[in-house]
Coordinates of all heavy atoms in Angstrom, one line a residue:
M12 N 8.7 -36.5 26.0 CA 8.7 -35.3 25.2 C 7.5 -34.4 25.7 O 6.4 -34.9 25.7 CB 8.6 -35.6 23.7 CG 8.8 -34.4 22.9 SD 8.6 -35.0 21.1 CE 9.7 -33.9 20.4
N13 N 7.8 -33.1 25.9 CA 6.7 -32.2 26.3 C 5.9 -31.8 25.1 O 6.4 -31.7 24.0 CB 7.3 -31.0 27.0 CG 8.1 -31.3 28.3 OD1 7.7 -32.3 28.9 ND2 9.0 -30.5 28.6
A14 N 4.6 -31.6 25.4 CA 3.7 -31.1 24.4 C 4.1 -29.6 24.1 O 4.5 -28.9 25.0 CB 2.3 -31.2 24.8
P15 N 4.0 -29.2 22.8 CA 4.3 -27.8 22.5 C 3.4 -26.9 23.2 O 2.2 -27.2 23.4 CB 4.1 -27.7 21.0 CG 3.2 -28.9 20.6 CD 3.5 -30.0 21.6
A16 N 3.9 -25.8 23.7 CA 3.1 -24.8 24.4 C 2.1 -24.2 23.5 O 2.3 -24.1 22.3 CB 4.1 -23.7 24.9
E17 N 0.9 -23.9 24.0 CA -0.1 -23.2 23.2 C 0.4 -21.8 22.8 O 1.1 -21.1 23.5 CB -1.3 -23.0 24.1 CG -2.1 -24.2 24.4 CD -3.0 -24.6 23.2 OE1 -3.4 -23.7 22.5 OE2 -3.1 -25.9 22.9
F18 N 0.2 -21.5 21.6 CA 0.6 -20.2 21.0 C -0.5 -19.6 20.3 O -1.0 -20.2 19.3 CB 1.8 -20.4 20.2 CG 2.3 -19.1 19.6 CD1 3.0 -18.2 20.4 CD2 2.0 -18.7 18.3 CE1 3.5 -17.0 19.9 CE2 2.5 -17.5 17.8 CZ 3.2 -16.6 18.6
A19 N -1.0 -18.5 20.7 CA -2.0 -17.8 20.0 C -1.5 -16.4 19.5 O -0.9 -15.7 20.3 CB -3.2 -17.6 20.9
L20 N -1.7 -16.1 18.2 CA -1.4 -14.8 17.7 C -2.2 -13.7 18.4 O -3.4 -14.0 18.6 CB -1.5 -14.8 16.2 CG -0.5 -15.6 15.4 CD1 -0.9 -15.6 13.9 CD2 0.9 -15.1 15.6
P21 N -1.7 -12.6 18.7 CA -2.5 -11.5 19.2 C -3.5 -11.0 18.2 O -3.2 -11.0 17.0 CB -1.5 -10.4 19.6 CG -0.3 -10.7 18.8 CD -0.3 -12.2 18.5
K22 N -4.7 -10.6 18.6 CA -5.7 -10.1 17.7 C -5.3 -8.6 17.4 O -4.9 -7.9 18.3 CB -7.1 -10.1 18.3 CG -7.6 -11.5 18.4 CD -9.0 -11.6 18.7 CE -9.5 -13.0 18.7 NZ -10.8 -13.2 19.3
V23 N -5.3 -8.3 16.1 CA -4.9 -6.9 15.7 C -6.0 -6.3 14.9 O -6.6 -6.9 14.0 CB -3.6 -6.9 14.9 CG1 -3.3 -5.6 14.3 CG2 -2.4 -7.5 15.7
N24 N -6.4 -5.1 15.2 CA -7.4 -4.4 14.5 C -6.6 -3.4 13.5 O -6.0 -2.4 13.9 CB -8.3 -3.5 15.4 CG -9.4 -2.8 14.6 OD1 -9.1 -2.3 13.5 ND2 -10.6 -2.8 15.1
V25 N -6.5 -3.8 12.2 CA -5.7 -3.1 11.3 C -6.2 -1.6 11.1 O -5.4 -0.7 11.1 CB -5.7 -3.8 9.9 CG1 -5.0 -3.0 8.9 CG2 -5.1 -5.2 10.0
E26 N -7.5 -1.4 11.1 CA -8.0 0.0 11.0 C -7.5 0.8 12.1 O -7.1 2.0 11.9 CB -9.5 0.0 10.9 CG -10.1 -0.4 9.5 CD -9.9 -1.9 9.2 OE1 -9.9 -2.7 10.1 OE2 -9.8 -2.2 8.0
E27 N -7.6 0.3 13.3 CA -7.1 1.0 14.5 C -5.6 1.4 14.4 O -5.2 2.5 14.7 CB -7.3 0.2 15.8 CG -8.5 0.6 16.6 CD -8.7 -0.3 17.8 OE1 -7.7 -0.7 18.4 OE2 -9.9 -0.6 18.1
K28 N -4.8 0.4 13.9 CA -3.4 0.7 13.8 C -3.1 1.8 12.7 O -2.3 2.7 12.9 CB -2.7 -0.6 13.4 CG -2.7 -1.7 14.4 CD -1.7 -1.3 15.5 CE -1.7 -2.4 16.6 NZ -0.9 -2.0 17.8
L29 N -3.8 1.7 11.6 CA -3.7 2.7 10.5 C -4.1 4.0 11.0 O -3.5 5.1 10.6 CB -4.5 2.3 9.3 CG -4.0 1.0 8.5 CD1 -5.0 0.7 7.4 CD2 -2.6 1.3 8.0
F30 N -5.1 4.1 11.9 CA -5.5 5.4 12.3 C -4.5 6.1 13.2 O -4.5 7.4 13.3 CB -6.8 5.2 13.2 CG -7.5 6.5 13.6 CD1 -8.1 7.2 12.6 CD2 -7.5 6.9 14.9 CE1 -8.8 8.4 12.9 CE2 -8.1 8.1 15.2 CZ -8.8 8.9 14.2
Q31 N -3.5 5.4 13.7 CA -2.4 6.0 14.5 C -1.3 6.6 13.6 O -0.4 7.2 14.1 CB -1.9 5.0 15.5 CG -2.9 4.6 16.5 CD -2.5 3.5 17.4 OE1 -1.5 2.9 17.2 NE2 -3.4 3.1 18.3
D32 N -1.3 6.3 12.3 CA -0.3 6.9 11.4 C -0.7 8.3 11.0 O -1.9 8.6 11.1 CB -0.2 6.0 10.1 CG 0.3 4.6 10.5 OD1 1.0 4.4 11.5 OD2 0.0 3.7 9.7
R33 N 0.2 9.0 10.6 CA -0.1 10.3 9.9 C 0.6 10.3 8.6 O 1.6 9.7 8.3 CB 0.5 11.5 10.8 CG -0.1 11.6 12.2 CD -1.6 12.0 12.2 NE -2.1 12.0 13.5 CZ -2.7 11.0 14.1 NH1 -2.7 9.8 13.5 NH2 -3.1 11.1 15.3
Y34 N 0.0 11.1 7.7 CA 0.5 11.1 6.3 C 0.5 12.5 5.7 O -0.4 13.3 5.8 CB -0.4 10.3 5.4 CG 0.2 9.9 4.1 CD1 1.0 8.8 3.9 CD2 -0.1 10.7 3.0 CE1 1.5 8.5 2.7 CE2 0.5 10.5 1.8 CZ 1.3 9.3 1.6 OH 1.9 9.0 0.4
R35 N 1.7 12.9 5.2 CA 1.8 14.2 4.5 C 1.7 14.0 3.0 O 2.6 13.4 2.4 CB 3.1 14.9 4.9 CG 3.0 15.5 6.3 CD 4.1 16.5 6.5 NE 3.9 17.7 5.7 CZ 4.9 18.5 5.3 NH1 6.1 18.3 5.7 NH2 4.6 19.5 4.5
V36 N 0.6 14.5 2.4 CA 0.4 14.3 1.0 C 1.3 15.3 0.2 O 1.3 16.5 0.5 CB -1.1 14.5 0.7 CG1 -1.3 14.4 -0.8 CG2 -2.0 13.6 1.5
D37 N 2.0 14.8 -0.8 CA 2.7 15.6 -1.7 C 1.8 15.9 -2.9 O 1.8 15.1 -3.9 CB 4.0 14.8 -2.2 CG 5.0 15.8 -2.8 OD1 4.7 16.9 -3.0 OD2 6.1 15.2 -3.2
V38 N 1.0 16.9 -2.8 CA -0.1 17.2 -3.8 C 0.5 17.2 -5.2 O 1.4 18.0 -5.5 CB -0.8 18.5 -3.4 CG1 -1.9 18.8 -4.4 CG2 -1.4 18.4 -2.0
G39 N -0.1 16.4 -6.1 CA 0.2 16.4 -7.5 C 1.5 15.7 -7.8 O 1.9 15.6 -9.0
K40 N 2.1 15.1 -6.8 CA 3.4 14.3 -7.0 C 3.3 12.9 -6.4 O 4.0 12.6 -5.4 CB 4.6 15.0 -6.5 CG 4.9 16.4 -7.2 CD 6.2 16.9 -6.7 CE 6.5 18.3 -7.1 NZ 6.3 18.7 -8.5
P41 N 2.4 12.0 -6.8 CA 2.3 10.7 -6.3 C 3.6 9.9 -6.4 O 4.2 10.0 -7.5 CB 1.2 10.0 -7.0 CG 1.1 10.8 -8.3 CD 1.5 12.2 -8.0
H42 N 4.0 9.3 -5.4 CA 5.3 8.6 -5.4 C 5.2 7.2 -6.1 O 6.2 6.5 -6.3 CB 6.0 8.4 -4.0 CG 5.2 7.6 -3.1 ND1 4.0 8.1 -2.5 CD2 5.4 6.4 -2.6 CE1 3.6 7.1 -1.7 NE2 4.4 6.1 -1.7
I43 N 4.0 6.7 -6.3 CA 3.8 5.5 -7.0 C 2.8 5.7 -8.2 O 1.8 6.4 -8.0 CB 3.2 4.4 -6.1 CG1 4.0 4.2 -4.8 CG2 3.0 3.1 -6.8 CD1 3.4 3.3 -3.8
K44 N 3.2 5.2 -9.3 CA 2.3 5.4 -10.5 C 2.2 4.0 -11.2 O 3.1 3.2 -11.1 CB 2.9 6.4 -11.4 CG 3.0 7.8 -10.9 CD 3.7 8.7 -11.9 CE 4.1 10.0 -11.2 NZ 5.1 10.8 -11.9
V45 N 1.1 3.9 -12.0 CA 1.0 2.8 -12.9 C 1.7 3.2 -14.2 O 1.5 4.4 -14.7 CB -0.5 2.5 -13.2 CG1 -0.7 1.7 -14.4 CG2 -1.2 1.9 -12.0
R46 N 2.5 2.4 -14.8 CA 3.2 2.7 -16.0 C 2.3 2.8 -17.2 O 2.4 3.7 -18.0 CB 4.4 1.7 -16.3 CG 5.5 1.7 -15.2 CD 6.6 0.8 -15.7 NE 7.4 0.3 -14.6 CZ 8.4 1.0 -14.0 NH1 8.7 2.2 -14.4 NH2 9.0 0.4 -13.0
D47 N 1.4 1.8 -17.3 CA 0.6 1.7 -18.5 C -0.8 1.2 -18.1 O -1.0 0.0 -17.7 CB 1.2 0.7 -19.5 CG 0.5 0.5 -20.8 OD1 -0.7 0.9 -20.8 OD2 1.1 0.1 -21.8
A48 N -1.8 2.1 -18.1 CA -3.1 1.7 -17.7 C -3.7 0.6 -18.5 O -4.5 -0.2 -18.0 CB -4.0 3.0 -17.7
G49 N -3.3 0.5 -19.8 CA -3.9 -0.6 -20.6 C -3.4 -2.0 -20.1 O -4.2 -2.9 -20.2
V50 N -2.2 -2.1 -19.6 CA -1.7 -3.3 -19.0 C -2.6 -3.7 -17.8 O -3.0 -4.9 -17.6 CB -0.2 -3.2 -18.6 CG1 0.2 -4.5 -17.9 CG2 0.6 -3.0 -19.9
C51 N -2.9 -2.8 -17.0 CA -3.8 -3.0 -15.8 C -5.2 -3.5 -16.3 O -5.8 -4.4 -15.7 CB -3.9 -1.8 -14.9 SG -2.4 -1.4 -14.1
A52 N -5.7 -2.8 -17.3 CA -7.0 -3.2 -17.8 C -7.1 -4.7 -18.2 O -8.1 -5.3 -18.0 CB -7.5 -2.3 -18.9
S53 N -6.0 -5.2 -18.8 CA -6.0 -6.6 -19.2 C -5.4 -7.5 -18.2 O -5.3 -8.7 -18.5 CB -5.3 -6.7 -20.6 OG -4.0 -6.2 -20.5
C54 N -5.0 -7.0 -17.1 CA -4.5 -7.9 -16.0 C -5.6 -8.6 -15.3 O -6.5 -8.0 -14.7 CB -3.7 -7.0 -15.0 SG -3.1 -7.9 -13.5
A55 N -5.7 -9.9 -15.4 CA -6.9 -10.7 -14.9 C -6.9 -10.7 -13.4 O -8.0 -10.4 -12.8 CB -6.8 -12.1 -15.5
A56 N -5.8 -11.0 -12.7 CA -5.9 -11.2 -11.3 C -5.9 -9.9 -10.5 O -6.4 -9.9 -9.4 CB -4.7 -12.1 -10.9
K57 N -5.2 -8.9 -11.0 CA -5.1 -7.6 -10.3 C -4.7 -7.8 -8.8 O -5.4 -7.3 -7.9 CB -6.4 -6.8 -10.4 CG -6.6 -6.3 -11.8 CD -7.9 -5.5 -11.9 CE -8.1 -4.9 -13.3 NZ -8.1 -5.8 -14.4
P58 N -3.6 -8.5 -8.5 CA -3.2 -8.7 -7.1 C -3.0 -7.5 -6.3 O -3.1 -7.5 -5.1 CB -1.9 -9.6 -7.3 CG -1.4 -9.3 -8.6 CD -2.6 -9.0 -9.5
C59 N -2.6 -6.4 -7.0 CA -2.3 -5.2 -6.2 C -3.6 -4.7 -5.4 O -3.5 -4.1 -4.4 CB -1.9 -4.1 -7.2 SG -3.0 -3.8 -8.6
T60 N -4.8 -5.1 -5.9 CA -6.0 -4.6 -5.3 C -6.3 -5.4 -4.0 O -7.2 -5.0 -3.3 CB -7.2 -4.7 -6.3 OG1 -7.4 -6.1 -6.6 CG2 -7.0 -3.9 -7.5
V61 N -5.7 -6.5 -3.8 CA -6.0 -7.3 -2.6 C -4.8 -7.4 -1.6 O -4.9 -7.8 -0.5 CB -6.5 -8.7 -2.9 CG1 -7.8 -8.7 -3.6 CG2 -5.4 -9.5 -3.8
C62 N -3.6 -7.0 -2.1 CA -2.4 -7.1 -1.3 C -2.0 -5.9 -0.5 O -1.2 -5.9 0.4 CB -1.2 -7.6 -2.1 SG -1.4 -9.2 -2.8
C63 N -2.5 -4.7 -0.9 CA -2.1 -3.5 -0.3 C -2.7 -3.4 1.1 O -3.9 -3.3 1.2 CB -2.5 -2.3 -1.2 SG -2.1 -0.7 -0.4
P64 N -1.9 -3.3 2.2 CA -2.5 -3.2 3.5 C -3.2 -1.9 3.8 O -4.0 -1.8 4.7 CB -1.2 -3.3 4.4 CG -0.1 -2.9 3.6 CD -0.4 -3.3 2.2
A65 N -2.9 -0.9 3.0 CA -3.5 0.4 3.2 C -4.7 0.7 2.2 O -5.4 1.7 2.3 CB -2.5 1.6 3.0
G66 N -5.0 -0.3 1.4 CA -6.2 -0.2 0.5 C -6.0 0.9 -0.6 O -7.0 1.5 -0.9
C67 N -4.8 1.1 -1.0 CA -4.6 2.2 -2.0 C -5.0 1.8 -3.4 O -5.2 2.7 -4.2 CB -3.1 2.6 -2.1 SG -2.5 3.3 -0.5
W68 N -5.1 0.5 -3.7 CA -5.5 0.1 -5.1 C -6.9 -0.4 -5.1 O -7.3 -1.2 -4.3 CB -4.5 -1.0 -5.5 CG -3.1 -0.6 -5.5 CD1 -2.2 -0.5 -4.4 CD2 -2.3 -0.4 -6.7 NE1 -1.0 -0.1 -4.8 CE2 -1.0 -0.1 -6.2 CE3 -2.5 -0.4 -8.0 CZ2 0.1 0.3 -7.1 CZ3 -1.5 -0.1 -8.9 CH2 -0.2 0.2 -8.4
S69 N -7.6 0.0 -6.1 CA -9.0 -0.6 -6.3 C -9.3 -0.7 -7.8 O -8.6 -0.1 -8.6 CB -10.0 0.3 -5.6 OG -10.0 1.6 -6.0
I70 N -10.3 -1.4 -8.1 CA -10.7 -1.6 -9.5 C -11.8 -0.5 -9.8 O -12.8 -0.4 -9.0 CB -11.3 -3.0 -9.7 CG1 -10.2 -4.0 -9.4 CG2 -11.8 -3.1 -11.2 CD1 -10.7 -5.5 -9.4
D71 N -11.6 0.2 -10.9 CA -12.6 1.3 -11.2 C -13.8 0.7 -12.0 O -13.8 -0.5 -12.3 CB -11.9 2.5 -11.9 CG -11.4 2.1 -13.3 OD1 -11.9 1.1 -13.9 OD2 -10.5 2.8 -13.8
E72 N -14.7 1.5 -12.2 CA -16.0 1.0 -12.8 C -15.8 0.5 -14.3 O -16.6 -0.2 -14.8 CB -17.1 2.1 -12.8 CG -16.6 3.4 -13.5 CD -17.6 4.6 -13.1 OE1 -18.3 4.5 -12.1 OE2 -17.6 5.5 -13.9
D73 N -14.6 0.9 -14.9 CA -14.3 0.4 -16.3 C -13.4 -0.9 -16.2 O -13.0 -1.3 -17.3 CB -13.7 1.5 -17.1 CG -14.6 2.7 -17.2 OD1 -15.8 2.5 -17.4 OD2 -14.0 3.8 -17.1
G74 N -13.1 -1.4 -15.1 CA -12.3 -2.6 -15.0 C -10.8 -2.2 -15.0 O -10.0 -3.1 -15.0
G75 N -10.5 -1.0 -14.9 CA -9.1 -0.5 -14.8 C -8.7 -0.4 -13.3 O -9.4 -0.8 -12.4
I76 N -7.6 0.3 -13.1 CA -7.1 0.5 -11.7 C -7.2 1.9 -11.3 O -6.9 2.9 -12.0 CB -5.6 0.1 -11.7 CG1 -5.5 -1.5 -11.7 CG2 -4.9 0.6 -10.5 CD1 -6.0 -2.2 -10.5
D77 N -7.7 2.1 -10.1 CA -7.7 3.4 -9.4 C -6.7 3.3 -8.3 O -6.8 2.5 -7.4 CB -9.1 3.6 -8.8 CG -9.3 5.0 -8.4 OD1 -8.5 5.9 -8.7 OD2 -10.3 5.3 -7.7
L78 N -5.7 4.2 -8.3 CA -4.6 4.2 -7.4 C -4.6 5.5 -6.6 O -4.5 6.6 -7.2 CB -3.2 4.0 -8.1 CG -2.0 4.2 -7.2 CD1 -1.9 3.3 -6.0 CD2 -0.7 4.0 -8.1
M79 N -4.7 5.5 -5.3 CA -4.7 6.6 -4.4 C -3.6 6.4 -3.4 O -3.8 5.6 -2.5 CB -6.1 6.8 -3.8 CG -6.1 7.9 -2.8 SD -5.9 9.6 -3.5 CE -7.5 9.7 -4.4
V80 N -2.5 7.1 -3.5 CA -1.3 6.7 -2.7 C -1.4 7.4 -1.3 O -0.5 7.2 -0.4 CB 0.0 7.0 -3.3 CG1 0.2 6.1 -4.6 CG2 0.2 8.5 -3.7
D81 N -2.3 8.3 -1.0 CA -2.5 8.9 0.3 C -2.6 7.7 1.3 O -3.5 6.9 1.1 CB -3.7 9.8 0.4 CG -3.6 10.9 -0.7 OD1 -2.6 11.0 -1.4 OD2 -4.5 11.8 -0.7
G82 N -1.8 7.7 2.3 CA -1.9 6.6 3.3 C -1.1 5.5 3.0 O -1.0 4.5 3.8
C83 N -0.3 5.5 1.9 CA 0.6 4.4 1.6 C 1.6 4.2 2.7 O 2.2 5.1 3.3 CB 1.4 4.8 0.3 SG 2.8 3.7 -0.1
L84 N 1.9 2.9 3.1 CA 2.8 2.5 4.2 C 4.2 2.3 3.7 O 5.1 2.0 4.5 CB 2.3 1.3 4.8 CG 0.8 1.3 5.4 CD1 0.4 0.0 5.9 CD2 0.7 2.4 6.4
E85 N 4.4 2.5 2.4 CA 5.8 2.3 1.8 C 6.3 0.9 2.0 O 7.6 0.8 2.2 CB 6.7 3.4 2.3 CG 6.2 4.8 2.0 CD 7.0 5.9 2.7 OE1 8.1 5.7 3.1 OE2 6.4 7.0 2.8
C86 N 5.5 -0.1 2.0 CA 5.9 -1.5 2.2 C 6.5 -2.1 0.9 O 7.3 -3.1 1.0 CB 4.8 -2.3 2.7 SG 3.4 -2.5 1.6
G87 N 6.1 -1.6 -0.2 CA 6.6 -2.1 -1.5 C 5.9 -3.4 -2.0 O 6.3 -3.9 -3.1
T88 N 4.9 -3.8 -1.4 CA 4.2 -5.0 -1.8 C 3.6 -4.9 -3.2 O 3.7 -5.9 -4.0 CB 3.0 -5.3 -0.8 OG1 3.6 -5.4 0.5 CG2 2.3 -6.6 -1.1
C89 N 3.0 -3.8 -3.5 CA 2.4 -3.6 -4.8 C 3.4 -3.8 -5.9 O 3.1 -4.5 -7.0 CB 1.7 -2.3 -4.9 SG 2.7 -0.9 -4.5
R90 N 4.6 -3.4 -5.7 CA 5.6 -3.5 -6.8 C 6.0 -5.0 -6.9 O 6.2 -5.5 -8.0 CB 6.9 -2.7 -6.4 CG 8.0 -2.8 -7.4 CD 9.1 -1.8 -7.0 NE 9.6 -2.0 -5.7 CZ 10.9 -2.4 -5.5 NH1 11.7 -2.6 -6.6 NH2 11.4 -2.6 -4.3
L91 N 6.1 -5.7 -5.8 CA 6.5 -7.1 -5.8 C 5.4 -8.0 -6.4 O 5.7 -9.0 -7.1 CB 6.8 -7.6 -4.4 CG 8.1 -7.0 -3.8 CD1 8.2 -7.4 -2.3 CD2 9.3 -7.3 -4.6
V92 N 4.2 -7.7 -6.2 CA 3.1 -8.6 -6.7 C 2.8 -8.4 -8.1 O 2.1 -9.2 -8.7 CB 1.8 -8.6 -5.8 CG1 2.1 -9.0 -4.4 CG2 1.2 -7.2 -5.9
C93 N 3.2 -7.3 -8.7 CA 2.9 -7.0 -10.1 C 3.8 -7.8 -11.0 O 5.0 -7.3 -11.2 CB 2.9 -5.5 -10.4 SG 2.5 -5.2 -12.1
D94 N 3.4 -8.9 -11.6 CA 4.2 -9.7 -12.5 C 4.5 -8.9 -13.8 O 5.5 -9.3 -14.5 CB 3.5 -11.0 -12.8 CG 3.5 -12.0 -11.6 OD1 4.4 -11.8 -10.7 OD2 2.7 -12.9 -11.6
E95 N 3.8 -7.9 -14.1 CA 4.0 -7.2 -15.3 C 5.0 -6.1 -15.2 O 5.3 -5.4 -16.2 CB 2.6 -6.5 -15.8 CG 1.5 -7.5 -15.9 CD 1.7 -8.5 -17.1 OE1 2.4 -8.1 -18.0 OE2 1.1 -9.6 -17.0
G96 N 5.5 -5.9 -14.0 CA 6.5 -4.8 -13.8 C 5.8 -3.4 -14.1 O 6.5 -2.5 -14.6
N97 N 4.6 -3.3 -13.8 CA 3.8 -2.1 -14.3 C 3.7 -1.1 -13.2 O 2.9 -0.1 -13.3 CB 2.4 -2.5 -14.7 CG 1.8 -1.5 -15.7 OD1 2.5 -0.8 -16.3 ND2 0.5 -1.5 -15.7
V98 N 4.4 -1.3 -12.1 CA 4.3 -0.3 -10.9 C 5.6 0.5 -10.9 O 6.7 0.0 -10.7 CB 4.1 -1.0 -9.6 CG1 4.1 0.0 -8.5 CG2 2.8 -1.8 -9.6
D99 N 5.5 1.8 -11.1 CA 6.6 2.7 -11.0 C 6.7 3.2 -9.6 O 5.9 4.1 -9.2 CB 6.4 3.9 -12.0 CG 7.5 4.9 -12.0 OD1 8.5 4.7 -11.3 OD2 7.4 5.9 -12.6
W100 N 7.6 2.6 -8.8 CA 7.6 2.8 -7.3 C 8.8 3.6 -6.9 O 9.9 3.3 -7.2 CB 7.6 1.4 -6.7 CG 7.2 1.4 -5.2 CD1 6.0 1.0 -4.8 CD2 8.0 1.7 -4.1 NE1 5.9 1.1 -3.4 CE2 7.1 1.5 -3.0 CE3 9.2 2.2 -3.9 CZ2 7.6 1.8 -1.7 CZ3 9.7 2.5 -2.6 CH2 8.8 2.3 -1.5
N101 N 8.5 4.6 -6.1 CA 9.6 5.4 -5.5 C 9.2 5.8 -4.1 O 8.0 5.8 -3.8 CB 9.7 6.8 -6.3 CG 10.2 6.5 -7.7 OD1 11.3 6.3 -8.0 ND2 9.2 6.5 -8.6
Y102 N 10.2 6.1 -3.3 CA 9.8 6.7 -2.0 C 9.3 8.1 -2.2 O 9.7 8.8 -3.2 CB 11.0 6.7 -1.1 CG 11.4 5.4 -0.4 CD1 12.5 4.7 -0.8 CD2 10.6 4.8 0.5 CE1 12.8 3.5 -0.3 CE2 10.9 3.6 1.1 CZ 12.0 2.9 0.7 OH 12.3 1.7 1.2
P103 N 8.5 8.6 -1.3 CA 8.0 10.0 -1.3 C 9.2 10.9 -1.2 O 10.3 10.6 -0.7 CB 7.1 10.2 -0.2 CG 6.7 8.8 0.3 CD 7.9 7.9 -0.1
R104 N 9.1 12.2 -1.7 CA 10.1 13.2 -1.4 C 10.3 13.4 0.1 O 9.4 13.2 0.9 CB 9.7 14.5 -2.1 CG 9.7 14.4 -3.6 CD 9.6 15.8 -4.2 NE 8.4 16.5 -3.8 CZ 8.4 17.9 -3.7 NH1 9.4 18.6 -4.2 NH2 7.3 18.5 -3.3
G105 N 11.5 13.9 0.4 CA 11.7 14.2 1.8 C 10.7 15.1 2.4 O 10.3 16.1 1.8
G106 N 10.2 14.8 3.6 CA 9.2 15.6 4.3 C 7.8 15.2 4.0 O 6.8 15.7 4.6
F107 N 7.6 14.2 3.1 CA 6.3 13.8 2.7 C 6.1 12.3 3.0 O 7.1 11.6 3.2 CB 6.0 14.0 1.2 CG 5.9 15.5 0.9 CD1 7.1 16.1 0.4 CD2 4.8 16.3 1.1 CE1 7.0 17.5 0.1 CE2 4.8 17.6 0.9 CZ 5.9 18.2 0.3
G108 N 4.9 11.8 3.0 CA 4.7 10.4 3.2 C 4.2 10.0 4.6 O 3.8 10.9 5.3
I109 N 4.5 8.8 4.9 CA 4.0 8.2 6.2 C 4.8 8.6 7.4 O 6.0 8.7 7.3 CB 3.9 6.6 6.0 CG1 3.0 6.0 7.1 CG2 5.2 6.0 6.0 CD1 1.6 6.1 6.9
L110 N 4.2 8.8 8.5 CA 4.8 9.0 9.8 C 4.3 7.9 10.7 O 3.1 7.9 11.0 CB 4.5 10.4 10.3 CG 5.1 11.5 9.5 CD1 4.4 12.8 10.0 CD2 6.6 11.6 9.6
F111 N 5.1 7.0 11.3 CA 4.7 5.9 12.0 C 4.7 6.1 13.6 O 4.3 5.3 14.3 CB 5.5 4.7 11.7 CG 5.3 4.1 10.4 CD1 6.3 4.2 9.4 CD2 4.2 3.5 10.0 CE1 6.2 3.7 8.1 CE2 4.0 2.9 8.8 CZ 5.0 3.0 7.8
K112 N 5.2 7.3 14.0 CA 5.5 7.4 15.4 C 4.4 7.8 16.4 O 4.7 8.2 17.5 CB 6.7 8.4 15.5 CG 6.3 9.8 15.0 CD 7.6 10.6 15.1 CE 7.3 12.0 14.4 NZ 8.5 12.8 14.2
F113 N 3.2 7.6 16.0 CA 2.1 8.0 16.8 C 1.3 6.8 17.5 O 0.4 7.0 18.2 CB 1.1 8.8 16.0 CG 1.7 10.1 15.5 CD1 2.2 10.1 14.2 CD2 1.8 11.2 16.3 CE1 2.8 11.3 13.7 CE2 2.3 12.4 15.8 CZ 2.9 12.4 14.5
G114 N 1.8 5.6 17.2 CA 1.0 4.5 17.8 C 2.0 3.5 18.5 O 3.1 3.6 18.5
Ligands
SF4_221 S1 -0.9 -6.3 -10.7 FE1 0.2 -4.7 -12.0 S2 -0.6 -4.9 -14.1 FE2 -2.0 -6.0 -12.6 S3 -3.6 -4.4 -12.1 FE3 -2.0 -4.3 -10.5 S4 -0.5 -2.8 -11.3 FE4 -1.8 -3.3 -13.0
SF4_222 S1 3.8 0.4 -1.0 FE1 2.5 -0.9 0.3 S2 1.0 0.5 1.2 FE2 2.0 1.6 -0.5 S3 0.6 1.3 -2.2 FE3 2.1 -0.3 -2.3 S4 1.2 -2.1 -1.2 FE4 0.1 -0.2 -0.7

């Protein structure tokens, strides 16, 4: 039996990849919202803050959630990891959001 071939994953610089995207902000109309900020404040694990590849979710100084959807990749991860169902997730309106074709 032959030994398995060596397999190495390619190294990827996420910041470099993200820099190749473009984003059209729909000012005043975020396509993702938190349904109830109080639920986030009492959410112990806050998985949304570590799972978003674009870093849109962070913990604010009061222990709540700060959500900035500019740069969102529309992957849907934040909605899936929130066990509380507290993420109101929609695609951006037509003409807004992420453009992937530059990299
Ligand atoms: S996982 Fe859900 S409830 Fe918890 S902080 Fe994130 S959005 Fe809020
Ligand atoms: S859809 Fe993906 S990129 Fe956008 S905020 Fe949620 S986890 Fe982040």
Side-chain angles (χ1 to χ4, degrees):
M12 185 182 213
N13 294 333
E17 286 283 327
F18 179 76
L20 290 172
K22 290 188 177 171
V23 174
N24 183 320
V25 175
E26 280 73 27
E27 260 178 34
K28 294 286 185 191
L29 290 174
F30 188 69
Q31 293 171 358
D32 298 332
R33 298 292 179 271
Y34 194 88
R35 286 199 62 205
V36 177
D37 196 359
V38 178
K40 295 187 188 318
H42 64 286
I43 303 172
K44 296 176 192 162
V45 164
R46 295 186 203 279
D47 184 338
V50 172
C51 290
S53 59
C54 173
K57 292 181 174 54
C59 54
T60 63
V61 294
C62 294
C63 173
C67 295
W68 299 76
S69 57
I70 301 174
D71 68 20
E72 55 196 22
D73 299 320
I76 285 295
D77 191 12
L78 170 60
M79 175 67 71
V80 298
D81 301 0
C83 168
L84 305 175
E85 300 169 22
C86 66
T88 304
C89 51
R90 182 170 61 110
L91 292 173
V92 300
C93 179
D94 288 339
E95 304 293 336
N97 202 27
V98 178
D99 180 5
W100 200 100
N101 297 280
Y102 282 110
R104 293 193 302 154
F107 295 96
I109 194 80
L110 296 167
F111 290 110
K112 59 188 175 190
F113 297 94

